[in-house]
Amino acid sequence: MRTPQTAPSRMHLAFAVLGLAFLGIFSWVFMQEFFAEWRTTQAQFRAIEGQVKDPHALSLAPPADGIRQIWLRDIDRVDRCTTCHLGVDDDAFVKAPQPFTTHSGTWLKTHPPDRFGCTVCHGGQGEATDYRDAAHQPIPHWSDPIRPRELIEANCGTCHREREPKEAFLLAAGRARIAEAGCIACHDLPGFSLDEVQAPRLESVGYKVRPDWLRKWLADPKAYLPQARMPNFRLEPDEIQDLTAFLLSQRQTTPLDASGVDWSKADADHGRAVFGEARCVSCHMIDGRGGTLGPELTTVGSKVRRDWLYSFLEDPMHDQPDTRMLRYRLADNDIRDLVAYLTEDLVDPDAATTPPAVGFLDPKQVEAGKQTFIKHGCFSCHRFGNLASTAKIGPSLMAIGDRTVEPSDFRGESADPTLENYLYLKLREPDKLAEDSRMPTFNFTEQEAATVVVALLSTRKADLPASRVTDAPAPKPYRPQGAFGALVSRYRCLSCHQVNGWGGTLSTVPLDRIGSQLQYAHIVAYLQQPYAIRVSVEARMPHFGMTADEARTIADYFSSVFVDDALEKPFAPAPDAARRGAALYTKLGCRGCHIIGQTGGYVGPDLSDTGHRLKPGWIQAWLAAPEKWKPGTLQPDYGLKPEEVQDLTAYLMTLSRTAAGRTP
Amino acid sequence: MPSLTAATRTVRSAWRSVFRVGWPRTDKDRTAAMISSFFLHVHSAKVKKHSLRASYTLGLGLISFYLLLVLVVTGVALMLYYTPHPPEAYRSMKDLQFVVTFGPVLRNMHRWAAHAMVLVVFLHMCRVFFTGGYKTPRRFNWVVGVVLFLLTLGLSFTGYLLPWDQLSFWAITVGSNIASYAPWIGDDLKYLMLGGHVIGSGALLRFYVLHCVVLPGAAMTLVAVHFFRVRKDGLSAPPQPEPSAIVEAAPGRFPASTRSYGLMALTDRPAQPVVESDPEDDEVLSWPHLLYRELLLLLAVLVVLHVVALVFNAPLEEIANATITPNPAKAPWYFLGLQELVHYSAFVGGVLVPGVIVLALVLIPYLDPKPRGVGVWFARERRWANWTFGAFAIVAVVLTIVGTFFRGPNWAWVWPWMR
Amino acid sequence: MTRCLRLPLRVALGLAVAVALGGCGRGRPAKRSEPLMDVFRKQAQEEGLTRAQTEGKRLFGQYCVTCHGDAGGGDGQNAYNLDPKPPVFQTSLTTHPRTYWRQIIEGGTASVGRSPLCPPWGHNLTASQIDELVAYLDALARPAPPTQPSAPAPKS
C-alpha cells in the first residue's frame, strides 16, 4: 500500500483550527493592551471632565491620554498614580467619584505633588498602572501597600522626625508615649535620648525602701500605683525574693545622719502645713490630686524608711544625683514635721507598721538576685554602677518599620500577619508572641498601643536625603556654672522650665527671654514668695524658701543673659493711650479670661499687678502675635493694629496692686 | 494588455529568483523544494514513516527547538528594555510589567518558555534513551544533546538572576552555594561565577553577558551540530530488524538510514560504493508530511505559550535585599533536587551526585554500545538499561517535587495543602 | 502503542497537579482578624464622628471647653466667671444656620452683635480648622448620645 504523497485533509483541518486559535489568542494579546485598565479609566475621566468643565476650561486642560508619572529624582521613585487619579489637583472634581476626586484638605499645597509624588505619603506601588498592583489593598510581594487613613501618620513620621509633628496627633501621641515608657532604655530608636529615661538610682536603695513594699512593687508596679512608669516584668516569686535581697543589699551611700532628731516632738499636722506651703502637690500626687513629675505619695509612709526620707529631704542629691527633686531651704524642725506627716499620715493601713532593721542578707540569695537584675535588664533604666555600660538588652528598632514578619511569628494568634498587627500584639502582651520574652508588660491601653505602633511604623531605614527630613534639633544640655548654676541645680529649675528646649515641660514658660518679659523687682520678689499667677492651675512654682541674695543672683542673671533685644524697646505711650486701652480692654472682652482685682475669668493670668510684673515691650510683642510665641495658645489673636497694641499695653502697665490699694 | 503581462512576468521572475521551485505540485517539485531551499534543506527529501509517528518521538526535540526560537525572539525584545545593573534592573522589570506595550506578555512568554524548555529537553533526553536512540551511529549526538541540556540549565540559571528581585537573588545565592561545595576549586568557582564573594552588580553583569551572548552562542552552535548529525544519521532511529545491519559509516558503505550519500566518500574509495536502499513503502516525501507536521507543532506551541503567558504572570517579588533572607531560600526548581540532597550532605548533593550524573550521561552510549532494541519504546532487550535510567529519572523527579512543594521554612517537611 | 500514549497523558496530569498546587500556595488565606485596625474601628463606632469631626473635637477640647464645657453644655470651669453665660449648645445650635456659627468662631460673638466674651479665633485657626470645628458642632447639636467619657481638658 502506498502512502499518498499529498497532505491528508485532516492535516488541513488541523491547520485551519490551529491557525484560527493562534489568530484568536494573538488578538487577545492586542485587546489586553488596548483595553488596559488605565486606558478605560482615562476614557471615563474624559466623559466626566466634559460634564464638570466648561468648553474653555476643557480646552486649557492637558489631555488625559497616556501614562502620567512623577519622578522624584532624589529618592529615585516613580509614581504613576496620576495616570488614573486625574482630578487630584483640580478643584473642579471635588464631587467626582474616585479615582478622579480632588485631594482633600490643603495637603497638596503643603506637599506639592511634583516634589512629593503620591506614595511618599500614602504608600502603595507607584509604578503600577492598575488598581490591584498599585497595592490599594495589600498584595503579595509589595511590602508597602497604601496605608489605611487611620495609620497614614506613620508615613508622615518617616520624613517628619520631630517629636511633635504638626497635625499628626497619633504620631505625636505615640512618640510621647515611647519617650514616657522609656523604650529607648532597652532598644535603639532614632529621635529619643537616654537622658529622657527617669528612674531612681538603686545603689543605696537598701537604706530607702521597706522589704514588704519592694516585694509588692516588683510583683506588679501597676497594682501599687496605676500610673506607675515601671512596667511589669512578670517575675516569678523566687525571682522577687532574690531581687529583693539583692536590692536591699545595696547600701553604697549612707544617708545623712538623723540620729539627733527627736521624733517625739514631731508634729504631723505642722508637717501637713509645710507640705501645702511648699507646693509639693505641684509634682506629687496624693489621693488622686497633684502633679505627676515626682512619685505618688498616698502611702509613701509604708514604702520608705523614716531616716532615709529625712536625709532625702535634707539633701535629695545626696544619694540621687540626678533627681528632679529640688533641695528646699527648710528648717530641720520643718523637715522633721514633714517626715512625720509623710510617714505617719500617708500609710497603707494593711502594711506592717515598723520595717525590719537594715541587716544581714544571705549572700547566695543576693548573688541570685544580681543575676535576676542582669537578666531582666533592670540596669537599662536604673543606671547602676558598672552594669550601666552593658549594651542594650532589646533588639535595635532603628528600622523597625521595614521589618518583615512571618505568620510563624504570631505563634497561633489568628491575626492577619502584618507588621502593624505584630507590633500591636507585642506591645499589648509581649509574652504571647515569644515564650521567654524579657520585654515587660506596659499595660498600654488599646489606644496607647495603637499610637505607639504608628510611631514605630514611621521608623524606617535612614536612607532619605537630608533635604527630605524635617527634624527639630536635639536640645543641647544646658548646664550653667557659677553661683547661678549652683542655684539652678539646687532648686532644680530645669525639672519644670526649659532653656533652649532643654528641661522639663511642666511649666509653659521657657526661660530663654524671661529677663525681657519680667521686671527685675518682680523676679526677686516672686522667687522668694511665689504666688498663683493663674488661679486655676494647680502646678505652681514651689515655695523654695529662697534667700533674698539667691533671688537677686537669679534675677541678675535673668536680666543680663535671658533677654531678647527685640523686646527691650523704650515705651512712650501717648498721654491718653491708657484710657483708650481701658476701653479696648472692655470692648474685646478680655475680662472673660483675665482677672483684674476681683473680677474676671480664670483662663489667662491674673493681670492685677501687670504694671509691676511685665515689661511693656513683651506685652506688645505678645498681643501683636501670641501664636508666634506660644503655638496653640488660648490667647486669641485679635489682629490688633499697632496703635491698639500700644494703647492696651499702656493700660495694662497702669495696673498695680499697690495702686489699687491692695497689699503686694 | 501587454504591459500587464510584462509586469506579471517580471514579478514572477523575481519571485522565482527567490523561490526557485514555486508551490510544488508534483513529487519531483516537492523533492526539489526541499533540496533547493537553504532553510528546508535541513530536511531530507524523504523521511521514514516511523519517524513521523507522534507517539514515537512525541515531537519533543522539535518543541525544544521552537522554545529556543521563542526565547531568542522574546529575549532580544526584552534586551531593549533591560539594564543589567541594580537597582535599574528591577525597575525595568516593573516598567515591563506596567508600561511597556506588550511588556507583560513578552516577559511571561520568555519566563514560561524557559521553564518549559528545561522540562522538554529533559523529557526529550528520556525519550531518546527509552527508544534507544543514543546507539550507533548516534552515539556522539547523544553527547552533544547532554551538553545542550547542561547549556539549557545554564541559560535558565543565568536568566534567573536578571529580574533582580528577592526570588532571583536568593535562588542564585543558593544555586551558587551548591557550586561552592566542589572540592578545592569550589570557592574559586563561585568567585569566578559571581565576580565577587556575594551577588552584586558584578554578578549581575556576568550573568547578563553569559545569558545573552556566551550561552546562546554556544547553544545555537551546538544545536546546529545536533541538527547536522540528525540530518546525516536520519531523523530518528528506525526499528532495527537485523542488528548486523548497523555499522558506523564504514568506508564505502552507506546504510539506508543515513539518508545521505557523501560524495567525498565516493571519491575516497576506488571500490563501488554500496548504498543500501529501503523498501519504497517505508518512506514518504518530507513535503508535505514532515513540513506540515512541523508547522502544526509550531502553531500549537505558540498557542499554548500565549495562553499560558496571558493567564499566568511571571513571578516578581520585592527588590533584591541581601539583608532579608526568605525562609526557605530555594534554588530554581530544576536544582531543588540537588538542594534536597545538599540538605542531607553538601558534598554528595553539591559535587558527587551532579558530577556522577553528568559523567554517566556522557558515557551512556559508550557503556551500552550494543545495537539492540533500538527504535521502539521500552524494548524488551534493553529492560535492564531502561529500568536503571528510569529509576534515576524518577528519583530526580521525586526529589525535585519534594524540594519544590514539600519543603517549608528551615527546609522542614510541609504538606503543600497545609500551608 | 497505548503504553506510549499513556506517558504524555501522565506528564500532562502531573503538570496540572503541579499548577494547581502552586496556585493554592499563592492564594491569600481567609480573612483574619486585624487587631490594630479594630482599635480604630471600635473608637470610630463609639464616637460616631467623621474624620473632620474628630479633628474638630480635638480643637474644641483645646480652645473651647474651658468655657463651653466638655460636651458644650455651657458648664466649663471658667463659665461661672462669665456674664452672660455660655449657651447650652444642644439647644442653642439649632436656632441658627452654620454660617452664623462660623461667623462667631471667626470673628467672635461681638461680630454678631452679642457680648465680646467669646473671642475671635480667625487669626489663630486656619479656615479648614474652622470647618472642622463647625463639623463638630454639628455632632454636638444632635440629641445627646448616651453618656460618654469626655476628653480631658488640655494643659494650658
Side-chain angles (χ1 to χ4, degrees):
Chain A
M1 187 192 77
R2 280 182 67 90
T3 313
Q5 294 292 343
T6 50
S9 59
R10 63 189 164 86
M11 212 172 259
H12 285 117
L13 186 70
F15 254 113
V17 170
L18 276 173
L20 283 176
F22 184 69
L23 272 181
I25 201 83
F26 209 68
S27 42
W28 185 9
V29 173
F30 271 83
M31 300 266 282
Q32 212 189 33
E33 186 63 37
F34 291 104
F35 292 95
E37 198 180 306
W38 65 270
R39 285 188 207 269
T40 50
T41 308
Q42 289 195 339
Q44 279 172 31
F45 177 78
R46 285 190 291 268
I48 290 176
E49 198 180 24
Q51 291 163 18
V52 301
K53 282 189 171 169
D54 59 80
H56 177 66
L58 204 56
S59 69
L60 291 178
D65 186 17
I67 285 178
R68 294 184 177 183
Q69 67 177 28
I70 298 165
W71 178 35
L72 308 177
R73 184 192 289 260
D74 55 344
I75 53 172
D76 194 25
R77 192 183 285 228
V78 172
D79 281 352
R80 301 188 173 120
C81 315
T82 46
T83 301
C84 292
H85 292 281
L86 286 155
V88 79
D89 56 352
D90 188 340
D91 288 336
F93 294 91
V94 171
K95 295 208 167 67
Q98 282 292 15
F100 311 125
T101 323
T102 313
H103 199 289
S104 63
T106 53
W107 295 102
L108 290 193
K109 292 203 179 62
T110 48
H111 299 73
D114 58 343
R115 163 129 173 79
F116 292 94
C118 308
T119 57
V120 167
C121 299
H122 287 276
Q125 179 165 209
E127 288 157 322
T129 49
D130 60 282
Y131 179 84
R132 185 188 168 275
D133 286 315
H136 287 86
Q137 304 293 326
I139 51 169
H141 306 311
W142 188 257
S143 54
D144 210 2
I146 290 182
R147 288 234 193 262
R149 250 204 306 214
E150 288 85 348
L151 298 177
I152 199 166
E153 287 177 21
N155 288 346
C156 305
T158 308
C159 298
H160 296 279
R161 308 244 169 105
E162 58 269 32
R163 188 62 65 80
E164 280 184 68
K166 268 191 237 160
E167 302 198 45
F169 304 105
L170 278 183
L171 184 60
R175 286 181 175 168
R177 188 66 55 191
I178 287 175
E180 193 185 291
C183 306
I184 188 72
C186 297
H187 301 280
D188 280 324
L189 249 177
F192 298 89
S193 148
L194 267 178
D195 292 320
E196 294 172 272
V197 180
Q198 297 281 348
R201 297 190 74 105
L202 300 177
E203 282 104 333
S204 310
V205 73
Y207 290 118
K208 175 183 175 183
V209 296
R210 299 173 173 223
D212 290 348
W213 175 85
L214 187 54
R215 274 188 281 271
K216 221 160 84 183
W217 172 260
L218 289 173
D220 185 4
K222 297 232 161 33
Y224 170 77
L225 181 64
Q227 66 269 31
R229 286 169 65 127
M230 178 159 143
N232 184 349
F233 284 84
R234 306 184 300 274
L235 300 171
E236 303 292 330
D238 54 329
E239 284 183 314
I240 293 174
Q241 289 303 337
D242 297 345
L243 206 46
T244 306
F246 171 68
L247 290 174
L248 292 180
S249 76
Q250 296 306 312
R251 298 165 197 163
Q252 222 171 70
T253 315
T254 322
L256 299 173
D257 185 24
S259 55
V261 180
D262 183 0
W263 292 106
S264 63
K265 287 192 185 149
D267 178 359
D269 286 341
H270 179 244
R272 182 200 298 273
V274 172
F275 189 87
E277 269 169 42
R279 293 301 302 175
C280 302
V281 77
S282 291
C283 298
H284 296 281
M285 191 180 278
I286 294 179
D287 288 330
R289 258 193 90 230
T292 54
L293 202 59
E296 205 261 7
L297 299 179
T298 309
T299 57
V300 67
S302 307
K303 171 185 171 183
V304 298
R305 294 171 183 274
R306 191 174 64 183
D307 289 0
W308 174 86
L309 187 57
Y310 182 85
S311 161
F312 184 74
L313 289 175
E314 280 277 358
D315 181 4
M317 298 89 173
H318 178 68
D319 71 339
Q320 293 289 331
D322 304 325
T323 183
R324 286 187 287 188
M325 171 80 174
L326 64 103
R327 188 175 171 197
Y328 283 95
R329 202 172 277 287
L330 289 172
D332 286 354
N333 285 352
D334 287 342
I335 294 181
R336 179 195 66 199
D337 293 349
L338 190 52
V339 170
Y341 163 63
L342 292 170
T343 52
E344 287 164 26
D345 286 11
L346 303 179
V347 291
D348 178 1
D350 301 334
T353 43
T354 41
V358 175
F360 172 79
L361 290 155
D362 178 8
K364 262 193 207 150
Q365 204 172 26
V366 169
E367 182 53 34
K370 184 178 181 184
Q371 295 314 317
T372 310
F373 191 84
I374 293 170
K375 179 188 159 197
H376 289 282
C378 307
F379 54 83
S380 304
C381 290
H382 299 280
R383 263 157 269 183
F384 198 93
N386 54 354
L387 290 178
S389 61
T390 322
K392 289 196 175 169
I393 187 168
S396 167
L397 304 179
M398 291 305 269
I400 182 71
D402 289 316
R403 258 273 294 276
T404 50
V405 290
E406 301 288 330
S408 55
D409 293 333
F410 283 77
R411 296 182 65 95
E413 295 285 318
S414 68
D416 198 21
T418 60
L419 176 63
E420 41 273 41
N421 284 339
Y422 178 82
L423 292 175
Y424 177 77
L425 293 172
K426 180 90 184 168
L427 284 164
R428 292 269 288 162
E429 288 171 284
D431 45 332
K432 271 220 178 146
L433 297 185
E435 220 155 69
D436 280 332
S437 175
R438 287 181 298 180
M439 175 163 157
T441 311
F442 284 85
N443 292 90
F444 288 125
T445 65
E446 291 181 351
Q447 276 83 7
E448 285 171 346
T451 59
V452 174
V453 171
V454 168
L456 289 178
L457 288 175
S458 75
T459 309
R460 313 287 295 261
K461 271 199 303 283
D463 56 357
L464 281 176
S467 64
R468 292 219 169 249
V469 176
T470 70
D471 197 354
K476 280 204 196 85
Y478 176 71
R479 297 208 171 85
Q481 307 291 307
F484 175 73
L487 290 174
V488 168
S489 170
R490 168 169 190 146
Y491 295 118
R492 287 291 191 254
C493 308
L494 299 176
S495 292
C496 300
H497 294 276
Q498 288 195 337
V499 175
N500 262 329
W502 178 265
T505 53
L506 188 60
S507 163
T508 56
V509 183
L511 300 180
D512 302 275
R513 60 187 78 83
I514 196 78
S516 295
Q517 292 172 302
L518 302 180
Q519 296 177 19
Y520 181 89
H522 170 72
I523 298 174
V524 174
Y526 183 79
L527 283 173
Q528 292 177 74
Q529 189 72 40
Y531 58 93
I533 304 282
R534 291 162 194 269
V535 289
S536 62
V537 175
E538 191 148 69
R540 292 186 216 153
M541 190 118 120
H543 192 176
F544 306 105
M546 206 182 269
T547 65
D549 278 349
E550 286 175 339
R552 271 195 294 276
T553 305
I554 293 177
D556 284 341
Y557 195 89
F558 280 5
S559 310
S560 54
V561 178
F562 291 154
V563 289
D564 183 345
D565 287 343
L567 302 178
E568 300 278 358
K569 283 186 199 130
F571 182 62
D576 55 347
R579 191 183 47 77
R580 287 199 302 269
L584 202 52
Y585 187 89
T586 312
K587 186 186 148 206
L588 296 177
C590 305
R591 69 183 158 90
C593 296
H594 295 281
I595 300 180
I596 295 178
Q598 295 289 344
T599 57
Y602 287 173
V603 181
D606 184 338
L607 299 178
S608 309
D609 206 26
T610 308
H612 289 155
R613 196 162 70 85
L614 299 180
K615 289 191 172 178
W618 163 244
I619 301 179
Q620 292 182 81
W622 169 256
L623 287 175
E627 280 274 343
K628 176 187 164 191
W629 303 104
K630 195 170 145 193
T633 179
L634 279 182
Q635 166 73 34
D637 182 347
Y638 286 91
L640 298 173
K641 298 190 203 69
E643 56 271 23
E644 289 176 319
V645 169
Q646 204 168 46
D647 292 348
L648 210 44
T649 308
Y651 167 63
L652 292 173
M653 288 307 290
T654 63
L655 298 174
S656 135
R657 283 234 163 93
T658 42
R662 267 171 267 277
T663 48
Chain B
M1 304 264 277
S3 60
L4 185 68
T5 326
T8 317
R9 199 180 301 132
T10 315
V11 169
R12 184 167 294 167
S13 88
W15 179 260
R16 273 295 161 113
S17 72
V18 184
F19 302 102
R20 301 212 169 157
V21 179
W23 187 263
R25 286 170 207 288
T26 64
D27 282 0
K28 178 172 162 286
D29 281 356
R30 289 182 185 115
T31 313
M34 282 311 194
I35 294 169
S36 68
S37 159
F38 174 80
F39 290 105
L40 294 184
H41 196 45
V42 74
H43 306 98
S44 50
K46 282 183 160 190
V47 284
K48 296 241 174 200
K49 273 190 202 165
H50 80 93
S51 61
L52 292 180
R53 277 208 325 264
S55 59
Y56 177 57
T57 64
L58 304 173
L60 289 167
L62 200 55
I63 294 177
S64 313
F65 178 63
Y66 288 154
L67 289 172
L68 184 65
L69 283 186
V70 169
L71 285 165
V72 169
V73 172
T74 53
V76 168
L78 289 175
M79 278 173 78
L80 302 179
Y81 298 99
Y82 183 76
T83 315
H85 189 265
E88 285 83 0
Y90 183 72
R91 167 69 54 76
S92 37
M93 289 301 114
K94 290 289 181 187
D95 283 349
L96 277 167
Q97 194 178 347
F98 296 124
V99 289
V100 173
T101 310
F102 302 127
V105 175
L106 271 182
R107 195 171 97 80
N108 294 350
M109 245 196 326
H110 194 77
R111 179 77 168 210
W112 300 132
H115 285 331
M117 190 166 157
V118 173
L119 186 72
V120 172
V121 168
F122 172 74
L123 292 175
H124 179 53
M125 196 169 76
C126 294
R127 193 284 290 172
V128 170
F129 188 93
F130 289 129
T131 57
Y134 58 87
K135 304 215 168 187
T136 317
R138 298 178 176 78
R139 293 193 298 182
F140 178 65
N141 215 13
W142 165 270
V143 177
V144 172
V146 169
V147 177
L148 274 171
F149 176 57
L150 297 179
L151 281 176
T152 307
L153 291 179
L155 274 164
S156 187
F157 185 70
T158 50
Y160 217 87
L161 181 66
L162 302 190
W164 201 249
D165 63 344
Q166 279 289 77
L167 184 68
S168 59
F169 184 88
W170 289 101
I172 302 307
T173 303
V174 173
S176 55
N177 279 343
I178 294 181
S180 72
Y181 296 131
W184 305 300
I185 55 159
D187 284 329
D188 296 326
L189 195 67
K190 188 180 162 193
Y191 192 92
L192 182 72
M193 191 155 74
L194 301 184
H197 291 292
V198 289
I199 296 176
S201 56
L204 184 59
L205 193 58
R206 265 167 209 232
F207 274 52
Y208 177 72
V209 172
L210 283 174
H211 185 73
C212 300
V213 180
V214 180
L215 295 179
M220 296 298 238
T221 312
L222 281 185
V223 164
V225 172
H226 203 59
F227 278 15
F228 183 80
R229 284 255 54 94
V230 168
R231 172 77 168 81
K232 288 293 165 191
D233 298 338
L235 206 47
S236 48
Q240 211 60 58
E242 40 198 310
S244 60
I246 301 287
V247 220
E248 197 156 338
R253 184 187 165 87
F254 297 92
S257 66
T258 64
R259 310 308 311 152
S260 186
Y261 322 120
L263 284 174
M264 295 305 287
L266 290 181
T267 60
D268 204 29
R269 281 273 157 186
Q272 184 75 4
V274 181
V275 178
E276 294 166 351
S277 64
D278 290 319
E280 282 283 297
D281 264 3
D282 205 23
E283 294 182 326
V284 287
L285 283 176
S286 295
W287 185 307
H289 295 279
L290 177 59
L291 203 61
Y292 277 29
R293 279 179 169 83
E294 286 180 354
L295 286 175
L296 279 172
L297 194 58
L298 176 63
L299 273 178
V301 166
L302 286 179
V303 168
V304 169
L305 270 182
H306 272 89
V307 171
V308 171
L310 281 168
V311 175
F312 299 103
N313 265 331
L316 185 64
E317 299 192 348
E318 295 90 341
I319 190 166
N321 185 342
T323 61
I324 298 177
T325 315
N327 190 359
K330 287 190 176 182
W333 61 268
Y334 35 82
F335 287 150
L336 285 182
L338 288 185
Q339 198 181 348
E340 175 72 18
L341 289 176
V342 166
H343 170 61
Y344 300 112
S345 156
F347 178 75
V348 170
V351 184
L352 195 63
V353 169
V356 166
I357 285 179
V358 170
L359 198 67
L361 285 175
V362 168
L363 291 182
I364 277 175
Y366 303 100
L367 294 176
D368 179 25
K370 286 185 197 158
R372 282 182 312 177
V374 177
V376 283
W377 279 85
F378 308 116
R380 204 170 277 277
E381 301 92 316
R382 300 178 52 248
R383 199 182 304 153
W384 186 84
N386 282 336
W387 274 115
T388 317
F389 187 87
F392 270 104
I394 287 170
V395 167
V397 169
V398 166
L399 282 177
T400 306
I401 289 176
V402 165
T404 309
F405 295 112
F406 293 84
R407 289 300 185 180
N410 304 324
W411 211 250
W413 185 272
V414 290
W415 298 103
W417 50 88
M418 301 276 279
R419 262 173 233 260
Chain C
M1 180 86 177
T2 43
R3 212 170 147 199
C4 307
L5 276 176
R6 232 179 278 146
L7 188 76
L9 197 70
R10 269 181 218 148
V11 171
L13 256 177
L15 271 178
V17 168
V19 165
L21 286 177
C24 290
R26 248 177 290 144
R28 280 180 72 74
K31 196 85 177 157
R32 283 187 270 197
S33 71
E34 296 179 310
L36 179 62
M37 289 304 290
D38 288 344
V39 175
F40 294 105
R41 289 184 193 126
K42 203 167 96 187
Q43 203 177 354
Q45 203 177 3
E46 279 170 6
E47 289 179 341
L49 300 178
T50 65
R51 189 166 169 82
Q53 285 172 333
T54 312
E55 280 304 296
K57 182 179 179 184
R58 200 192 52 76
L59 291 167
F60 190 84
Q62 185 177 352
Y63 290 98
C64 313
V65 289
T66 35
C67 296
H68 289 286
D70 291 338
D75 53 352
Q77 55 158 336
N78 193 43
Y80 71 97
N81 293 315
L82 301 177
D83 182 28
K85 298 260 171 277
V88 178
F89 278 162
Q90 278 73 16
T91 55
S92 74
L93 286 177
T94 50
T95 56
H96 289 286
R98 293 160 127 252
T99 47
Y100 181 79
W101 313 340
R102 221 195 135 81
Q103 172 68 40
I104 290 180
I105 296 170
E106 220 171 279
T109 31
S111 71
V112 294
R114 287 161 55 177
S115 88
L117 289 182
C118 189
W121 294 107
H123 289 95
N124 297 61
L125 301 177
T126 66
S128 61
Q129 284 178 315
I130 295 178
D131 286 341
E132 287 158 358
L133 261 179
V134 172
Y136 180 58
L137 293 184
D138 259 340
L140 280 181
R142 283 189 309 231
T147 46
Q148 58 186 27
S150 52
K155 197 169 58 175
S156 62

